[in-house]
Amino acid sequence: MEKTPIYFVPGLAAGPEIFENLELDLEKYSLHYLKWIKPLALEEDIDNYACRMSDEIKEKNPVLVGVSFGGIMVQEMAKFVNPRKVIIISSVKNENELPKRFKFAKFTKVYKFFPTVVVENFEEYARYFLGKSLKKKAALYKKYLSVRSKKYLKWSIYNIIKWKQLNPLDNIVHIHGTKDNVFPFKNVKNAIEIKGGTHIMILTKAKKITKIIDEVLTC
């Protein structure tokens, strides 16, 4: 049986380790974990970055899976690799699903101060930007943050805030938690709901997410 290739893109500043709790059948799927690459410059547009990320994809018509900012990235990568399916987790499908505080950050340009806080004190960053209820789980997530380059962080936060996409992709599947404080569930449309799932449910609800991914790809 020919295996379905799946390429995973982690969340902002995270490494492939965030996917370690998923238990997809290795007889059905070939799993590939992409790492964030260095931006060529702070001004590099997301299209060009996504094109460079896509160079790592060798199979035709793969499945792309992205978490949070990785979900935005796989949607951009879809322009270059013609995926059979795009699956986003704890992410957004268009700019209208972004919360008001992101729009505020865009208007005030306060996002310029976020990267230093992330690098120097992640717990404070989580409290301010991710929401107070995630503060206790910040320590859990922190160990998965392997990308600490200030240049990358500035670039990625800028591109989340500034992301422009009006219409969702045709072949997209959106998995979202009802307790997500980064991208609130109330702003999201046409998503597969995971009750009680937070923004880091890729770590805490991995069994449910595994089942959904398998069902989506085998139906």
Side-chain angles (χ1 to χ4, degrees):
M1 181 178 69
E2 184 178 355
K3 295 182 181 181
T4 300
I6 306 178
Y7 284 80
F8 296 87
V9 179
L12 188 151
E17 297 83 7
I18 69 166
F19 297 108
E20 66 184 10
N21 293 334
L22 297 180
E23 297 181 351
L24 291 161
D25 188 346
L26 296 180
E27 293 189 0
K28 293 170 63 176
Y29 307 108
S30 60
L31 309 181
H32 310 270
Y33 302 95
L34 301 183
K35 296 181 179 180
W36 293 109
I37 56 179
K38 292 181 180 180
L40 297 177
L42 292 177
E43 298 78 21
E44 181 178 12
D45 63 58
I46 196 168
D47 283 353
N48 194 70
Y49 188 96
C51 181
R52 295 196 297 122
M53 285 279 283
S54 300
D55 287 341
E56 298 298 318
I57 297 177
K58 307 305 179 185
E59 290 88 348
K60 293 181 179 180
N61 307 122
V63 174
L64 302 180
V65 177
V67 172
S68 191
F69 181 47
I72 291 175
M73 185 54 60
V74 294
Q75 291 173 75
E76 293 296 320
M77 292 169 65
K79 300 173 183 177
F80 304 101
V81 299
N82 191 28
R84 68 184 74 184
K85 190 76 68 178
V86 175
I87 300 174
I88 64 171
I89 302 163
S90 307
S91 190
V92 292
K93 298 184 292 299
N94 57 60
E95 59 189 87
N96 295 324
E97 293 183 343
L98 291 170
K100 289 182 179 179
R101 64 177 176 272
F102 280 56
K103 297 173 184 177
F104 173 79
K106 178 180 179 179
F107 177 75
T108 62
K109 298 185 178 180
V110 69
Y111 60 84
K112 291 183 178 182
F113 299 101
F114 289 169
T116 299
V117 181
V118 174
V119 174
E120 296 178 357
N121 192 336
F122 177 74
E123 285 76 8
E124 283 303 305
Y125 168 79
R127 179 183 64 80
Y128 175 74
F129 192 56
L130 303 186
K132 292 181 180 179
S133 66
L134 286 185
K135 187 177 180 181
K136 291 181 180 179
K137 293 185 177 180
L140 171 64
Y141 193 65
K142 186 177 180 179
K143 76 174 186 176
Y144 295 94
L145 298 181
S146 57
V147 185
R148 301 298 181 93
S149 161
K150 287 187 178 182
K151 182 178 179 180
Y152 160 78
L153 290 166
K154 285 183 179 180
W155 178 86
S156 58
I157 291 173
Y158 173 84
N159 277 283
I160 294 172
I161 300 297
K162 297 281 189 174
W163 189 52
K164 293 181 179 180
Q165 177 162 290
L166 292 177
N167 300 312
L169 302 179
D170 292 334
N171 60 342
I172 195 167
V173 173
H174 189 172
I175 306 171
H176 212 85
T178 60
K179 298 295 184 179
D180 193 313
N181 283 339
V182 178
F183 302 127
F185 188 75
K186 66 181 181 180
N187 297 338
V188 172
K189 299 183 183 301
N190 301 318
I192 297 173
E193 174 182 323
I194 293 189
K195 290 191 179 297
T198 67
H199 195 64
I200 59 170
M201 67 180 185
I202 191 66
L203 302 176
T204 59
K205 303 283 186 180
K207 284 188 177 181
K208 289 184 178 180
I209 293 172
T210 298
K211 183 178 179 183
I212 292 169
I213 293 174
D214 187 55
E215 289 175 348
V216 163
L217 298 181
T218 56
C219 65

